[in-house]
Amino acid sequence: MRRRHLLGSLLLAPVLTACFASSGGDSSDKGGNGSRLRVALAFPPAENLSPYGADATLLSRLGVTEGLTALDANGAAAPALAESWRRENDRTWLFTLREATFQDGSEVTPAAVAAALTHATEARPAPAALSGVTLTVKAQSTAVRITTTNPDPVLPLRLSSPSLAVLSPKAYKDGADPVGTATGPFELTKVNGSTSAALDRFDDYWGGRAQAAGIDARFIADGTARANAVRTGQVDIAEAIPVAQAATLDQATLEGTATTRTTSLQLNTRSGPFKDPKLRAAAREAVDSSAVVRGVFEGYADPGAGIYGPAVTWAEGKRVPPTGRAGAAKPNGTAVTLATYDNRPELPEVAQILQQQLQKAGFKVTLEVREYSRLESDALDGKFDAFVGARNSLVDTGDPVGVLASDYTCDGGYNLARLCDRKADRAVAEADAVADTGERQDAAMRAEAVILGADAVVPLAHQRIIVGVAAGVRGVLLDPYERTLVGPGTRR
């Protein structure tokens, strides 16, 4: 849900100067072997690096945090802090822990894991991975036993969410502080607000000593600045290179992969003009997503087919036509506010195209563009009529039902469309009750059809990620779920 092609060359030099001034950490080899990595991330922390919200993926991408499980290349649950697990009955699972150490030197014990996950269940708002889920965690010898109120056939997938990272007891004195309390290969040692962070190698990492001595991370919302930083050798890795900047970089410095990220138009179904389903239908009919793919993504995206795109390889063969759509009304000059963020520089361009298309259909459109951390709370509070965002449909849990529950149900924690529809809630609940993988996918597609039928969301494009990687850098971690970037094998 998560960026600035719009600032232009006049602002580029001062942006770079500010982003790469020394602030925490240095580029020397403090660990004895390996150089420090210089990494540019697109999103500044929006919630003080709390693991319970959007900042959770910042921590996982930098190799700071881990949960009981991870996702493998096929999207299945894989061991992380839990080396194995088994389902004891419909509502209870037993996760056996591996021997591991927290970055503050304490041991990863069943009691510590149980306490960490309990803190996550008590967080408000609830982490997206726990949307609609109630669970209790008990320490058991070398394991933790997790019991859910209702059967949860995908609990191992759910626990792979970056928002369910396990931190040491020291982290929870006031909120959840990941500085020096996580278990990953890199220890967060200093955070300089929304500007930068320093990380050192954690030598006692259970998965083996990282090859880089540490990371100097910079949060750079301006996409042109990120691309220029790679071009001029100021960073080793820069995520989310803008499509418009890709052609200006040496092809040898670009790495890309299909993702499960979809750029969509979310329509506020609870207040404002788009509370009227007929006006939502008019907006959907006005949108030509092919113009977005051609004009903005320049071959680095596929046309919007649904909430799930081509990187979700099973989706296309199971797709169900949307049902229950209202007939379109004439906008007749209806005024709407369309918002987006500029951390992903393609999005303001997408919003400009949509503004033109909606105005041609008869809407009067005011466009509002901000940096993501200054926009999210207003968007969730329904202060805009429409919102253009890029959302990885499997990032929260790896489960196709997860994004539907968090984004399109009455109690969803990331419900930008503010949809509260009994049919949608019922379809999502039915899908969430299915254990068999193939049948669960079928049920998810039926729920997708109900949500699309409500015109709460208009899928625009399924994106491919572009990462700038300097010559000589090896081991950058790319995956469709965008949870990883730097790991133990990343080096220069």
Side-chain angles (χ1 to χ4, degrees), residues 47 92 183 189 212 222 226 228 230 314 329 361 384:
E47 298 159 337
T92 305
T183 61
T189 58
D222 184 271
R226 289 196 303 276
N228 195 57
V230 175
W314 50 263
F384 309 116

Side-chain angles (χ1 to χ4, degrees), residues 37-63:
L37 293 166
R38 300 163 300 169
V39 179
L41 299 178
F43 289 91
E47 298 159 337
N48 298 315
L49 286 176
S50 166
Y52 300 142
D55 291 353
T57 53
L58 293 179
L59 297 169
S60 69
R61 289 170 74 74
L62 288 172

Side-chain angles (χ1 to χ4, degrees), residues 355-373:
Q355 181 184 35
Q356 294 168 4
Q357 293 178 347
L358 291 169
Q359 289 181 160
K360 184 177 180 180
F363 289 96
K364 182 179 179 181
V365 183
T366 300
L367 186 60
E368 185 160 346
V369 179
R370 302 182 201 164
E371 195 274 326
Y372 184 81
S373 64

Side-chain angles (χ1 to χ4, degrees), residues 377-414:
S377 61
D378 282 351
L380 290 171
D381 288 342
K383 293 185 178 180
F384 309 116
D385 301 312
F387 184 86
V388 177
R391 178 78 157 120
N392 193 314
S393 61
L394 299 184
V395 70
D396 290 325
T397 63
D399 169 36
V401 182
V403 70
L404 304 182
S406 66
D407 291 21
Y408 301 107
T409 63
C410 295
D411 296 327
Y414 197 69

Side-chain angles (χ1 to χ4, degrees), residues 70-133:
L71 291 183
D72 67 15
N74 297 315
L81 292 177
E83 62 182 7
S84 64
W85 53 88
R86 61 184 174 87
R87 192 174 190 180
E88 296 183 323
N89 56 53
D90 282 351
R91 299 189 300 111
T92 305
W93 299 72
L94 188 70
F95 292 81
T96 300
L97 306 182
R98 69 172 71 252
E99 292 185 5
T101 304
F102 289 111
Q103 292 161 352
D104 61 9
S106 61
E107 295 300 311
V108 177
T109 64
V113 172
L117 292 177
T118 299
H119 280 292
T121 67
E122 296 169 347
R124 293 295 178 270
L130 293 180
S131 178
V133 176

Side-chain angles (χ1 to χ4, degrees), residues 16 34 48 82 99 105-106 122 138 149 196 217 264 286 433 448 487:
L16 285 172
N48 298 315
E99 292 185 5
S106 61
E122 296 169 347
K138 302 291 185 183
T149 302
S196 64
S264 299
E448 180 200 55

